[in-house]
Amino acid sequence: MTDFQKTGLEWVGRLQGGRDVVLAIDLTESVGLNDEGHIRLRQIVEDSLKSGDTVYVVPFATKVNPLEPEINPLKLEAAIQFKGKTDVEKILQVIPFQANLNLQNTDIQRAELTIYQGLADLNQCRLTQNQPIKPQSVVWITDAQLFTKSPANSQEWIETPGDSPFRVGTSQETQQRQQWLEKLPLIPRSLSIKTQDQQKYNLTIVDLPPTVQEFCTPTPGLKQTCLVPPYLWKQLSLPALTLVILILASIGLGIKVYYLNKKWKITINFADKKTEEQTVYLRNHQRISIGEYESNCNHSIDTPGAEIRGYLMRKGEKLYLEPTPDSLLEYNGQNLTKKTPISGVSFQLNCPYSKTGNSQAKKNYEFTIKIQK
């Protein structure tokens, strides 16, 4: 598969939120889990399993699952769905903590091929059924050497039964195992544990990122049809679309927040030419008094008379004029009587006044307000 396809499958596994976890335990006497082995295994079950994991307990010796050979331990009906801490004891009760003295010789090569092929089958079935595939892990508890060459020589592992096909380098099973070990992206980590008899066995974790086999078939028109691309499209199209929408919404929200927090430049030019131009800055939810200064306003525009005629206020992307009761404040030639939204980037206000108190001798006090957002 291409790097893009591998990355896509990893994303499918992450979105699924669960793993296949195999507890592969050697039942022969040479392993016999001691106190440290019990503690390590219990620690894995109690502390590392997550909700959504599927747990398979797979004992092995000469055969895989020798106690119940008629049951495939890597089938979903034999699995334990881990939903939380309440499932810890259920798993621990299934784990064979004691060695079986009736079992001898560990066919580790058979166990490897069976488990890795079984895990691959699980994900391949999910692929064909258009279900999310999962990352997978195998917890090996054995004194056998993992990843040996096929066939293993006596210096690497001597317990492989004499009638095992893995003793023969040209057997189909031997060749299959070697191919699987070469192709699968196996990531191992190992811890050595010493028994009371000063013997050693290993607790080895082998992680497998979510992977499947790609099948491509030539089709008419110099093209080919494959399994993985349409699968990735079905699995990731909705999450990708959701992600794009969230990104666009975040960008839109960021732009909106930017403009809401941006200061507006307000320039006031007075018609009498005697009063200097006034420049103030207005943030969201701030206001300017027209007339006398008011403490809860950020600025004021001086007009004749000891009164407040109204307010120029900003709310979001809107600018409003709100007159005070019985004030004289004209906008667009009409006396303002209610809160009014301002349109455009420039407008004129008129504040009629009289020095003598004679209503017939009113004068105009005009100014122009320009808005720069």
Side-chain angles (χ1 to χ4, degrees), residues 194-208:
K194 185 178 293 187
T195 67
Q196 293 179 346
D197 299 331
Q198 301 304 308
Q199 301 296 316
K200 289 183 179 180
Y201 65 92
N202 291 321
L203 187 155
T204 302
I205 309 293
V206 179
D207 293 317
L208 295 91

Side-chain angles (χ1 to χ4, degrees), residues 281-343:
Y281 293 91
L282 197 62
R283 291 184 180 274
N284 190 21
H285 297 300
Q286 290 184 339
R287 64 180 186 171
I288 300 171
S289 62
I290 301 173
E292 287 291 307
Y293 175 75
E294 190 173 275
S295 59
N296 60 353
C297 293
N298 299 86
H299 304 282
S300 65
I301 301 174
D302 292 332
T303 62
E307 61 178 332
I308 295 177
R309 297 178 181 250
Y311 303 96
L312 183 65
M313 61 181 65
R314 176 187 169 189
K315 289 188 176 180
E317 294 292 302
K318 298 284 187 179
L319 197 65
Y320 296 90
L321 271 171
E322 183 176 18
T324 54
D326 303 322
S327 66
L328 292 175
L329 183 62
E330 295 180 356
Y331 169 64
N332 288 339
Q334 300 290 329
N335 189 55
L336 279 177
T337 58
K338 61 181 181 179
K339 184 177 177 180
T340 303
I342 301 299
S343 59

Side-chain angles (χ1 to χ4, degrees), residues 5-237:
Q5 290 174 326
K6 293 177 183 177
T7 302
L9 292 174
E10 289 181 6
W11 276 106
V12 172
R14 291 178 183 178
L15 293 172
Q16 162 67 18
R19 302 167 296 178
D20 289 322
V21 179
V22 176
L23 303 178
I25 302 174
D26 191 335
L27 291 181
T28 57
E29 184 180 4
S30 58
V31 174
L33 292 176
N34 59 352
D35 289 343
E36 182 182 354
H38 281 238
I39 293 172
R40 300 283 189 185
L41 197 52
R42 191 178 187 97
Q43 189 177 20
I44 290 174
V45 174
E46 291 182 342
D47 299 335
S48 70
L49 294 181
K50 302 175 182 177
S51 179
D53 286 350
T54 305
V55 181
Y56 306 84
V57 178
V58 183
F60 64 93
T62 301
K63 303 292 184 182
V64 177
N65 202 21
L67 303 180
E68 297 179 280
E70 69 281 359
I71 298 177
N72 183 350
L74 287 175
K75 289 293 185 182
L76 290 178
E77 55 266 24
I80 300 174
Q81 303 297 329
F82 187 82
K83 299 178 181 178
K85 295 299 182 181
T86 55
D87 293 318
V88 168
E89 287 302 323
K90 186 189 303 183
I91 297 171
L92 293 175
Q93 290 174 5
V94 178
I95 295 175
F97 283 104
Q98 300 297 324
N100 190 319
L101 301 182
N102 295 323
L103 298 175
Q104 294 179 345
N105 296 340
T106 297
D107 196 341
I108 189 62
Q109 293 91 357
R110 183 187 300 276
E112 286 179 307
L113 178 60
T114 302
I115 290 175
Y116 292 138
Q117 273 191 327
L119 286 175
D121 286 344
L122 289 174
N123 270 342
Q124 203 69 23
C125 288
R126 293 178 181 128
L127 170 72
T128 57
Q129 297 170 10
N130 196 33
Q131 297 176 355
I133 64 173
K134 296 183 178 184
Q136 300 170 319
S137 296
V138 184
V139 181
W140 292 98
I141 298 180
T142 180
D143 61 340
Q145 298 295 317
L146 299 172
F147 310 114
T148 58
K149 295 180 180 180
S150 295
N153 58 46
S154 58
Q155 293 180 342
E156 292 177 307
W157 186 241
I158 62 174
E159 286 192 18
T160 303
D163 60 349
S164 172
F166 297 95
R167 284 269 185 195
V168 182
T170 57
S171 70
Q172 181 181 357
E173 292 85 348
T174 295
Q175 293 177 0
Q176 281 185 339
R177 172 182 171 273
Q178 196 63 34
Q179 290 169 355
W180 280 98
L181 293 181
E182 291 172 356
K183 293 296 183 181
L184 285 175
L186 304 173
I187 306 170
R189 290 169 296 144
S190 188
L191 173 69
S192 179
I193 299 176
K194 185 178 293 187
T195 67
Q196 293 179 346
D197 299 331
Q198 301 304 308
Q199 301 296 316
K200 289 183 179 180
Y201 65 92
N202 291 321
L203 187 155
T204 302
I205 309 293
V206 179
D207 293 317
L208 295 91
T211 186
V212 293
Q213 295 180 76
E214 172 64 298
F215 287 88
C216 292
T217 304
T219 59
L222 299 178
K223 296 182 180 180
Q224 63 179 4
T225 178
C226 300
L227 288 181
V228 172
Y231 170 78
L232 290 178
W233 171 253
K234 292 175 183 177
Q235 289 293 320
L236 298 178
S237 56

